[in-house]
Amino acid sequence: MKQDELKKINHEIGSYVAKVTKTIWVDDRTLQIATMMIDSYGDTVYVWVEEADDHCRVSDGGRILFKLDPNEEDKELYETAEDIALGSGYEFDEKHCEIFVDVDHKNVAQAAMKLAQLQVAISYLG
């Protein structure tokens, strides 16, 4: 494939992702992103971005583990999810079962898409 054809395909991929990804402000500092990712239940994967002065927190809001085990009965599931999150460069809040990462404003898109992929992978543990 020629270089200009590759650039065109890359542009089309980016345009497609932008078109199917929906974002809304839920308050003055928090953005909800409905990604193009679908979890093992066939549901859209959501990511939340909370703005701070010098960074953004990209989070699942604790929703993927709540969806898999709302009563927190499967301790092995939570431990495995925490190991996967930490191994992927994300943090894990045990109190809220939230997967998150704090990033510079310029890295929000990458962190959000990687977190969506991580949520899809974790959804198959349940």
Side-chain angles (χ1 to χ4, degrees), residues 85-102:
L86 295 174
S88 298
Y90 288 79
E91 301 293 325
F92 186 79
D93 178 342
E94 290 182 19
K95 182 177 179 184
H96 301 105
C97 302
E98 177 182 27
I99 300 168
F100 70 93
V101 67
D102 293 329

Side-chain angles (χ1 to χ4, degrees), residues 8 17 22 26-27 37 56 72 91 93 100 110 116-117:
K8 182 180 178 201
V17 171
K22 306 298 181 201
V26 294
D27 62 33
M37 305 293 181
C56 291
E72 297 184 41
E91 301 293 325
D93 178 342
F100 70 93
Q110 178 185 14
Q117 292 172 335

Side-chain angles (χ1 to χ4, degrees), residues 33-51:
I33 303 171
T35 71
M36 63 180 281
M37 305 293 181
I38 305 297
D39 66 18
S40 66
Y41 293 92
D43 297 330
T44 298
V45 174
Y46 290 85
V47 173
W48 282 261
V49 178
E50 184 177 349
E51 291 187 317

